[in-house]
């Protein structure tokens, strides 16, 4: 081995392998960078979720909207006329549904962490959708109120999380 180094007979082999070694080092570095980026993205999604949910919990208006939604939404199945006295309750229900839709868009598009969002809103989203399902269908068909795309993300997420909630309930019931 020492003789190879001193008479430079193996340097030619080493020189031929150097580009392969360089490429291997670059590949390993790229894999490490991609892993770090993935972890940072996951952390950023979790932080965004927690920040958003913390702000919604601290906002008295959102809490009031939730309470009004729980109290009034089950009795609102149709879009009331603008002059109707229940229009205020309808507007509150729509405001809360809009917040739920925003959360659903964030989860469905990857802006929010799925696990954090489901852990915190996993029962609220399916419940809100089920409570307002008939109202949502009527909003979609009422000109000037919505379209067939209104609350689509909420519907998708509610159905997905609703299935998981049912499975979890079945597991708990068997214990």
């Amino acid at each position: 081995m020492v003789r190879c180094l001193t008479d430079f007979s193996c340097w030619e082999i080493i020189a031929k392998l150097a580009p392969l070694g360089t490429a291997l080092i670059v590949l390993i570095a790229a894999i490490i960078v991609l892993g770090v980026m993935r972890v940072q993205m996951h952390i950023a999604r979790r932080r965004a979720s927690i920040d958003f949910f913390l702000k919604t919990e601290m906002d008295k208006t959102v809490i009031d909207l939730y309470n009004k939604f729980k109290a009034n939404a089950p009795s609102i199945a149709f879009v009331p006329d603008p002059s109707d006295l229940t229009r205020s309750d309808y507007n509150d229900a729509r405001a809360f549904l809009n917040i739920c839709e925003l959360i659903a868009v964030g989860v469905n598009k990857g802006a929010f962490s799925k696990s954090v969002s489901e852990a915190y809103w996993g029962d609220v989203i399916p419940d809100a959708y089920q409570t307002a399902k008939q109202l949502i269908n009527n909003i979609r068909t009422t000109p000037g109120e919505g379209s067939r795309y209104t609350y689509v993300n909420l519907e998708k997420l509610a159905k997905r999380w609703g299935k998981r909630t049912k499975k979890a309930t079945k597991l708990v019931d068997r214990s």
Side-chain angles (χ1 to χ4, degrees):
M1 179 72 171
V2 174
R3 185 175 183 188
C4 172
L5 294 175
T6 57
D7 70 1
F8 301 106
S9 61
C10 63
W11 286 104
E12 185 179 333
I13 296 169
I14 293 171
K16 288 180 182 177
L17 295 176
L20 182 61
T22 303
L24 185 61
I25 291 169
V26 169
L27 178 64
I28 291 169
I31 290 170
I32 291 169
V33 167
L34 288 173
V36 167
M37 287 173 51
R38 187 169 183 256
V39 167
Q40 288 298 320
M41 186 175 57
H42 188 68
I43 290 169
R45 283 184 182 149
R46 285 178 177 233
R47 284 184 180 160
S49 302
I50 290 169
D51 286 348
F52 181 80
F53 299 142
L54 184 61
K55 287 177 184 173
T56 58
E57 274 303 306
M58 301 295 281
D59 188 341
K60 184 172 176 8
T61 305
V62 175
I63 295 169
D64 290 344
L65 283 174
Y66 174 75
N67 290 331
K68 289 177 183 177
F69 179 84
K70 291 296 282 181
N72 299 323
S75 63
I76 304 172
F78 297 95
V79 177
D81 292 327
S83 62
D84 195 327
L85 294 175
T86 62
R87 186 68 183 201
S88 173
D89 294 337
Y90 165 78
N91 289 337
D92 290 339
R94 285 292 305 260
F96 184 74
L97 288 172
N98 290 341
I99 292 169
C100 292
E101 176 72 359
L102 178 61
I103 292 167
V105 168
V107 171
N108 291 339
K109 299 296 181 184
F112 290 158
S113 164
K114 291 177 182 177
S115 62
V116 171
S117 301
E118 187 174 6
Y120 198 77
W121 282 74
D123 57 339
V124 175
I125 296 292
D127 183 56
Y129 174 73
Q130 285 302 320
T131 300
K133 188 175 181 177
Q134 186 176 358
L135 175 61
I136 290 170
N137 289 333
N138 287 321
I139 289 169
R140 289 174 177 167
T141 59
T142 303
E145 290 294 322
S147 72
R148 64 185 178 146
Y149 302 110
T150 303
Y151 303 123
V152 165
N153 282 284
L154 172 60
E155 180 179 9
K156 287 178 186 175
L157 189 62
K159 288 180 178 178
R160 192 166 65 234
W161 284 359
K163 289 177 187 174
R164 291 181 187 158
T165 304
K166 287 178 186 173
K167 287 180 185 176
T169 303
K170 288 179 182 176
L171 291 174
V172 171
D173 288 344
R174 291 180 185 164
S175 305

